[in-house]
Amino acid sequence: MTALADIIRSHIRQTGPLTLAQYMEMCLLHPEHGYYNQPTPIGARGGFITAPEISQMFGEMVGLALAACWQDQGSPPAFALLDLGPGRGTLMSDCLRATGRVEGFRSAARLHLFEASRSLRNVQMARLGAFDPVWPRSLMELPAMPLFAIANEFIDVLPVRQFRRIGRGWAECMVGLKKGALTMGFVSCDASVGINDRFGHCVEGDIVEIRPAAEQITSTLAGHIARHGGLLLIIDYGEEKLTGPTFQAVTDHQSADPMAAPGNADLTSHVDFGGLIGAAAPLAHAGPCPQGAYLECLGITERARSLAAELRERELAEHTAAFRRLVHPEEMGNLFKVLALYPPDAPVPPGFVT
Ligand code: SAH
């Protein structure tokens, strides 16, 4: 039993069951015991590994795609470069290195890192301090300039609420106590949460998930991009049309019971790309397209070959395995999707076959 489990149990005793979203938020971001405030949540030695931690090629491709899009939109002389949930800063560090030779890009970039975890902000400072980053407290605080933003494996950790269709109504998944232990169960609720409009077609027993925070963030950034130009690139696992349930816990690279050890596991669920596209109006969208096809379209195969030419034996085997892991349909290639949101009068961002 973790210290956070005790805190959550006494919270439930005082104020009643929590929605899944409230439970996720406490487990992930509790200032002391939350998963993302632990010393090593991400990376080969952490609980799970993300694409930029697998190979430098991922950040290089994304960086060059952002820079090409910036050029396509007239190379604005000052823009906000935003990483949402930058983790250990690896993605942004690879992006900035790869774009070092794109004339004017780095000097025009004002680096913004949107991060809720204090311990990861420290890691990001150590990694990216040379680029003078700022950590905005709110996405409403971004400067009035074009915005080029990347969110890799960020949306999937934003809190979700889960509902089950019962008759013509809904029941919501709540976290409560049973004989003192944390348990999930469905409790009937009124449909005022606004799910009927989108999920009115569901039949008895169907489970759906909504992620209000993700839609709000997307809509705020979309409004900014509609006014000032730019791009929001979202990379995550999920589908354009989601069917639930997809809420899950991952600990030590394995799936786990989300109630077992709060604060020790990453809690996520698949991203509903259709919902994000809807929230991004009036922006145009490209994708969601599979990550493997996207990276190949950007030229990762050539980059992998040129890096391989310098490597031998174990390093070469590791590099080949990392390349496969990013693009192969049975690894991350199909499960992960890429969605670009951009102004309707701008060219389609690179990486999407049109
Ligand atoms: N993009 C990185 C890390 C992904 S992990 C990579 O690809 O490696 C998710 C990141 O989002 C972590 O940095 C975590 O601390 C951050 N995060 C989680 N919830 C957040 C929230 N509500 N607001 C801001 N950052 C959040």
Side-chain angles (χ1 to χ4, degrees):
M1 194 56 71
T2 60
L4 187 54
D6 283 338
I7 295 172
I8 295 176
R9 283 189 315 189
S10 73
H11 190 95
I12 293 174
R13 279 195 194 101
Q14 279 165 25
T15 61
L18 303 171
T19 64
L20 213 48
Q22 291 166 325
Y23 177 73
M24 265 178 101
E25 191 153 346
M26 286 183 89
C27 290
L28 297 178
L29 295 175
H30 184 278
E32 198 182 337
H33 306 293
Y35 178 78
Y36 283 106
N37 277 312
Q38 303 314 304
T40 54
I42 311 165
R45 285 186 301 141
F48 67 102
I49 189 160
T50 57
E53 304 292 337
I54 291 171
S55 164
Q56 67 182 74
M57 295 186 290
F58 182 82
E60 291 171 351
M61 294 298 124
V62 167
L64 292 170
L66 289 179
C69 189
W70 170 77
Q71 285 175 328
D72 282 346
Q73 292 189 30
S75 308
F79 69 95
L81 176 61
L82 169 67
D83 192 342
L84 294 143
R88 300 172 62 210
T90 308
L91 170 60
M92 193 38 77
S93 149
D94 291 335
C95 278
L96 289 165
R97 191 189 57 257
T99 51
R101 280 198 270 165
V102 178
E103 207 189 321
F105 181 80
R106 266 194 356 201
S107 56
R110 309 285 177 268
L111 183 58
H112 287 71
L113 304 172
F114 187 62
E115 175 58 70
S117 149
R118 199 177 333 130
S119 66
L120 285 173
R121 278 201 297 267
N122 290 336
V123 176
Q124 292 154 19
M125 184 56 178
R127 200 79 180 269
L128 298 164
F131 297 98
D132 261 340
V134 292
W135 284 267
R137 264 176 306 160
S138 146
L139 293 171
M140 310 294 273
E141 282 174 17
L142 296 172
M145 47 177 74
L147 169 67
F148 289 81
I150 166 80
N152 185 61
E153 285 208 48
F154 168 68
I155 302 287
D156 66 273
V157 300
L158 296 178
V160 283
R161 293 174 71 177
Q162 203 182 67
F163 298 88
R164 177 193 273 163
R165 186 67 153 168
I166 296 189
R168 297 179 64 81
W170 296 92
E172 177 160 16
C173 179
M174 304 291 286
V175 178
L177 294 175
K178 205 175 202 172
K179 292 190 184 145
L182 292 168
T183 34
M184 288 194 287
F186 283 93
V187 178
S188 68
C189 64
D190 65 36
S192 58
V193 282
I195 42 179
N196 253 342
D197 303 348
R198 258 179 75 204
F199 300 108
H201 60 280
C202 286
V203 298
E204 183 75 20
D206 280 357
I207 291 182
V208 300
E209 289 167 353
I210 60 168
R211 195 175 246 130
E215 295 185 5
Q216 202 192 345
I217 287 175
T218 304
S219 149
T220 302
L221 298 179
H224 187 108
I225 292 170
R227 279 192 298 281
H228 302 287
L231 166 73
L232 169 57
L233 202 58
I234 296 174
I235 308 179
D236 226 311
Y237 45 94
E239 294 80 36
E240 184 153 2
K241 255 191 159 52
L242 255 199
T243 45
T246 69
F247 174 66
Q248 60 168 1
V250 176
T251 183
D252 293 332
H253 306 263
Q254 306 273 332
S255 116
D257 172 2
M259 299 293 120
N264 286 358
D266 189 28
L267 302 180
T268 72
S269 81
H270 285 213
V271 169
D272 167 13
F273 283 100
L276 300 181
I277 292 169
L283 296 189
H285 67 95
C289 100
Q291 170 174 303
Y294 176 76
L295 293 174
E296 275 171 14
C297 188
L298 292 175
I300 196 171
T301 308
E302 260 171 58
R303 177 67 179 139
R305 269 203 205 105
S306 87
L307 285 172
E310 315 274 308
L311 303 173
R312 295 283 169 277
E313 297 175 6
R314 205 177 114 207
E315 283 175 346
L316 179 59
E318 281 172 3
H319 168 67
T320 311
F323 170 68
R324 185 189 145 92
R325 202 157 162 197
L326 291 180
V327 300
H328 197 281
E330 281 166 17
E331 306 246 4
M332 297 174 84
N334 246 355
L335 176 63
F336 282 73
K337 311 279 186 318
V338 187
L339 173 69
L341 299 163
Y342 59 99
D345 55 355
V348 178
F352 296 90
V353 181
T354 46

